[in-house]
Amino acid sequence: MTTMTTGSDTLTRDALAVLQPGFTGTTAPDWLLRRIGEGLASVGLFGRNIVTGPQVAELTAQLRAERDDVLVAIDEEGGDVTRIEVRTGSSFPGNLALGAVDDLDLTREVARELGRRLAECGVNLNWAPSADVNSNPDNPIIGVRAFGADTDLVARHTAAYIEGLQSAGVAACTKHFPGHGDTNVDSHHAMPRIDVDLDTLHARELVPFRAAIAAGSKSVMSAHILLPALDPARPATLSPRILTGLLRDELGYDGLIVSDAVEMQAIAGTVGIERGSVLAIAAGADALCVGGGLCDEGTVLRLRDALVAAVRDGELAEERLADAAARVRALAAWAQRARGDRTGPGAAVQEGTAPGTGSGGDIGLVAARRAARVTVAPSWRPMRSAPYVATFTPVMNIAVSSETPWSIGAELAALLPGTEGGSYGADSTAADVLAAAGERRVVAVVRDEHRHPWMAAALDALLAARPDTAVVEMGVPRAAPRGALHIATHGAARVCGRAAAEAITRV
């Protein structure tokens, strides 16, 4: 139990202002409303907080009844990483699909429509887009979340996405600075290390962030990654050399700097969340994301008190904390102005519909269809009867919710009634699939086959036994197309599944 007073003094209010906490439940708990009244300026929403569009609109209205300019943030990348449609799958393809199409107007329009739907629900800060260049194909955390592996392509689509999102009145948060694409470790679990020289960093990782700054990104999210060429001792989130020296001074960025979640093991498992929060603000971060895992009042108070104590002990300059809080409030003021004279949040969301399924058109499905790459072998026979869908399911990274459905079974069953299927893991074999399929033709759905030897081996055996199998790759397509029909969707969003199902029944 904290012993520090919770009055309205400037120091305490500033310490609360730099936190972006989450919470549990689909309505705001009393403790959260109380802390907003005391100075908390931001709140993060996660899948656990979301049921329907009207419910989210009521929740954000409840928050704004305490503070009209509160920032309501969400991690809504679209594609594989969705919170607003966590239980159904996203209505928008993710970055890799948009990069595969390489139409800047399309990327801009998808981001604008996603932003419009977020704004309808009262969300005004999106922890997106990912500006990482996926230069390491074995990257376990970025993959389809990147626009691609080509630096210039990633840069131009990052800028287009920011323009589209912010035109809807939702602030972008470009991540993960200074670039998470060349890692083979997930920072949710440990500290990734990138051993590249400064020339490579400037020519590859930093190019999309320069484009983001030029496009006016309202915020940038730091990564918990170690880059010895810049700072051999501290990860980017805790490094003055990277956040202040590189991002602020060298790149000239003047917007809000947000940390990635401080409870990730790269921080929590090394310096701890209290010490990490102090070091991050001292290094140049302005806001601390917390709440994906730790989402209680006690965590908020621990971090608030750690910041206040650091100022009083002389470890954190009071001016630095005040500057950080001022940047948070400045973004909140921009977001409030961007709402303008609109009616209350959620006014355009129809009762009973999930967020993201409103009346804004089918731009997400249009994009998913354009992103699908279909390769037809001479041996392919059109599929006119219900097949068996075998989904090879890897362990998902933490950014992708285990609640979110994927694959194409439901979408294919809508077109070919009677379609059934099953999910297969690392201990499954082709024989298991064949026994379940019987005489039915097989559609094999894989996700990042190149990263999972067990998946590749099972698919090899399945194709040897059933060469008429259709293969759908819903991750990063690295292997050469195989199967009688091969479809690369460039992501596992619901609309990507629908695009693949349509292609199977069309060719």
Side-chain angles (χ1 to χ4, degrees), residues 10-258:
T10 301
L11 181 57
T12 301
R13 292 186 69 83
D14 285 350
L16 280 171
V18 303
L19 303 180
Q20 294 188 343
F23 60 96
T24 57
T26 55
T27 59
D30 290 343
W31 71 262
L32 183 64
L33 298 176
R34 186 166 61 252
R35 301 306 169 190
I36 290 173
E38 294 172 0
L40 187 69
S42 310
V43 174
L45 299 185
F46 295 85
R48 61 176 179 260
N49 306 122
I50 294 164
V51 181
T52 67
Q55 170 264 318
V56 178
E58 289 175 7
L59 170 57
T60 58
Q62 187 184 12
L63 297 172
R64 292 203 168 92
E66 291 295 325
R67 178 176 182 147
D68 189 51
D69 66 344
V70 68
L71 285 169
V72 181
I74 200 166
D75 192 4
E76 184 59 41
E77 299 176 16
D80 291 29
V81 179
T82 179
R83 306 297 177 242
I84 209 79
E85 295 185 277
V86 67
R87 292 171 181 82
T88 61
S90 182
S91 299
F92 302 94
N95 285 0
L96 188 65
L98 296 173
V101 178
D102 196 12
D103 179 338
L104 296 181
D105 288 336
L106 180 68
T107 294
R108 198 174 288 109
E109 183 58 30
V110 166
R112 181 182 296 112
E113 176 60 14
L114 187 149
R116 185 190 68 79
R117 297 185 188 186
L118 291 178
E120 282 183 344
C121 296
V123 175
N124 55 9
L125 171 60
N126 192 7
W127 293 318
S130 167
D132 306 296
V133 179
N134 197 49
S135 53
N136 184 346
D138 293 325
N139 194 315
I141 187 62
I142 301 301
V144 297
R145 301 169 66 195
F147 288 108
D150 178 86
T151 297
D152 291 337
L153 179 145
V154 173
R156 60 180 179 262
H157 283 275
T158 295
Y161 192 103
I162 290 165
E163 291 164 0
L165 184 67
Q166 294 188 167
S167 72
V170 175
C173 185
T174 307
K175 61 188 183 186
H176 305 80
F177 185 83
H180 212 311
D182 193 20
T183 59
N184 57 11
V185 172
D186 183 346
S187 51
H188 289 90
H189 303 300
M191 179 78 75
R193 176 187 174 106
I194 300 181
D195 289 302
V196 299
D197 57 34
L198 288 178
D199 288 343
T200 301
L201 184 74
H202 279 275
R204 189 178 65 189
E205 272 75 17
L206 294 182
V207 173
F209 289 97
R210 290 183 185 274
I213 293 168
S217 184
K218 294 297 179 182
S219 61
V220 169
M221 179 177 283
S222 67
H224 306 326
I225 55 176
L226 192 67
L227 290 99
L230 287 172
D231 190 330
R234 291 183 176 183
T237 296
L238 310 183
S239 170
R241 168 70 185 91
I242 295 175
L243 295 191
T244 299
L246 177 59
L247 182 54
R248 288 277 187 232
D249 298 340
E250 189 171 341
L251 300 187
Y253 180 65
D254 194 40
L256 188 76
I257 300 177
V258 182

Side-chain angles (χ1 to χ4, degrees), residues 442-454:
V442 177
V443 177
V445 182
V446 295
R447 195 167 181 173
D448 289 346
E449 179 202 343
H450 68 282
R451 292 202 303 111
H452 303 286
W454 66 268

Side-chain angles (χ1 to χ4, degrees), residues 396-463:
M396 294 293 105
N397 65 62
I398 291 179
V400 180
S401 173
S402 59
E403 290 183 66
T404 306
W406 69 283
S407 191
I408 70 167
E411 302 293 338
L412 195 53
L415 300 174
L416 293 175
T419 295
E420 297 178 336
S423 180
Y424 298 86
D427 57 350
S428 303
T429 66
D432 298 325
V433 175
L434 294 170
E439 298 302 314
R440 291 172 291 183
R441 292 177 66 183
V442 177
V443 177
V445 182
V446 295
R447 195 167 181 173
D448 289 346
E449 179 202 343
H450 68 282
R451 292 202 303 111
H452 303 286
W454 66 268
M455 192 183 294
L459 187 57
D460 286 342
L462 181 59
L463 291 173

